[in-house]
Amino acid sequence: MSAPMTPVTTSARLGPASRWTAVLRAEVRRTLSVKLWWLLLVPVVLLAMAMSLFGGLLSLMVPAATDTSALLLLGGEASTMTATAIVAAAFGALLSAGEYRHRTITQSFLTGARHQVLGAKVAVAAVVGGLYGLVVAIVGPLVGGALFAGQQLPSTGALAGIGALGIVVCALWGVLGVVIGTLVPNQAGAVALTVGYLLIGENLLAAALRVGSSRGGDPSFLATLTPYLPGNAGDLALWQAPVDAAGEGADARSVLEFMVGVSAPPPGWVSMLVLVAWTVVGVAAAAYVGGRRDIT
């Protein structure tokens, strides 16, 4: 008579906590041993210092957005955060796909299971991406806005709110970069796909979906899908605060549609949940594909 089978618990499938700690420690050491993370910090700082240049479009839609108003600073920070998210995504893609290029992924898998290595990369990319957002949240208003352009500082609550949103968006895009780097193990291809999609690809896709929608009328069904694309979702979450701060001098929906390039935008908190959902689905896909890839 065969012995009864012992059910496999979730903790057994995931592995002991000590192994997760060891894999994470190895990933942190690997990241800190190369210059990639802080080299990408350079364009982030430059973006933050030039933040005052990015709020000008808001003045086209909002009468209250004068040259020195605090509203422009909020718009500049939102726009700078969207650009910083691209840098965070590029870091995540390089972090993951770079291991396949340099043939170090095999050594990484020796430290732990594949899902543990992926989890460590996700954690590191999220922290570094969030760090980029934090730099913009601090340096941007104090240096890029107030000092260089003479713009008024918004309230502390407004700055903290959009800064916190930016940190989360950048962290999530760092994770999505890892996802793309896992699904596309070619380093150059992963980075080109990530940056190209966020800068050009999604804009073209959104424009194609909006074809046929009359201005001022009800958007088509395809046009209503544009706010739920991953890049647009993060942008909408960030732009909600500057638009809300504009008050009654602007039509919130029209401003958001103009600034982000979407139709029928949902509330900002819904957009953030959409980006979180994209991230969760992406990590699940990366775990599935990466767990079955032949690395020999």
Side-chain angles (χ1 to χ4, degrees):
M1 182 176 178
S2 60
M5 295 182 62
T6 302
V8 180
T9 63
T10 302
S11 59
R13 289 195 298 266
L14 294 178
S18 59
R19 177 54 61 185
W20 280 94
T21 302
V23 174
L24 180 59
R25 186 183 300 114
E27 188 64 40
V28 171
R29 288 177 177 173
R30 185 181 300 110
T31 302
L32 295 179
S33 66
V34 296
K35 302 176 180 179
L36 173 64
W37 72 274
W38 65 262
L39 283 177
L40 288 177
L41 188 61
V42 174
V44 170
V45 173
L46 294 178
L47 282 170
M49 294 178 67
M51 195 180 76
S52 61
L53 303 177
F54 299 115
L57 280 177
L58 199 59
S59 62
L60 299 177
M61 299 290 292
V62 181
T66 62
D67 291 339
T68 59
S69 69
L71 186 58
L72 280 186
L73 191 58
L74 287 177
E77 185 165 3
S79 184
T80 305
M81 284 291 188
T82 63
T84 303
I86 300 176
V87 179
F91 169 80
L94 288 167
L95 182 69
S96 182
E99 291 239 55
Y100 290 95
R101 177 192 175 189
H102 298 291
R103 306 289 185 180
T104 59
I105 193 65
T106 304
Q107 286 78 13
S108 296
F109 288 154
L110 292 177
T111 63
R114 296 192 180 196
H115 65 274
Q116 292 174 328
V117 173
L118 175 63
K121 292 185 181 301
V122 163
V124 170
V127 170
V128 173
L131 174 64
Y132 293 163
L134 179 62
V135 169
V136 171
I138 296 175
V139 176
L142 297 179
V143 180
L147 183 60
F148 283 177
Q151 293 175 347
Q152 301 173 15
L153 284 175
S155 66
T156 303
L159 282 176
I162 194 171
L165 285 173
I167 291 171
V168 174
V169 169
C170 291
L172 291 174
W173 269 108
V175 174
L176 284 169
V178 170
V179 169
I180 297 172
T182 302
L183 298 177
V184 183
N186 179 278
Q187 186 179 38
V191 175
L193 177 62
T194 302
V195 177
Y197 174 78
L198 288 173
L199 285 178
I200 302 174
E202 187 165 288
N203 292 326
L204 294 177
L205 178 58
L209 291 174
R210 298 177 75 190
V211 169
S213 295
S214 60
R215 182 165 185 160
D218 293 333
S220 65
F221 170 74
L222 290 179
T224 61
L225 299 179
T226 54
Y228 301 96
L229 298 173
N232 286 342
D235 291 353
L236 283 171
L238 289 168
W239 274 104
Q240 188 70 57
V243 172
D244 288 345
E248 298 179 357
D251 178 1
R253 172 173 167 170
S254 298
V255 174
L256 284 173
E257 289 180 340
F258 174 78
M259 298 305 299
V260 183
V262 300
S263 297
W269 66 269
V270 174
S271 299
M272 183 62 77
L273 289 180
V274 170
L275 184 57
V276 171
W278 274 105
T279 306
V280 172
V281 172
V283 171
Y288 179 83
V289 173
R292 288 159 177 77
R293 176 177 290 125
D294 183 9
I295 59 171
T296 57

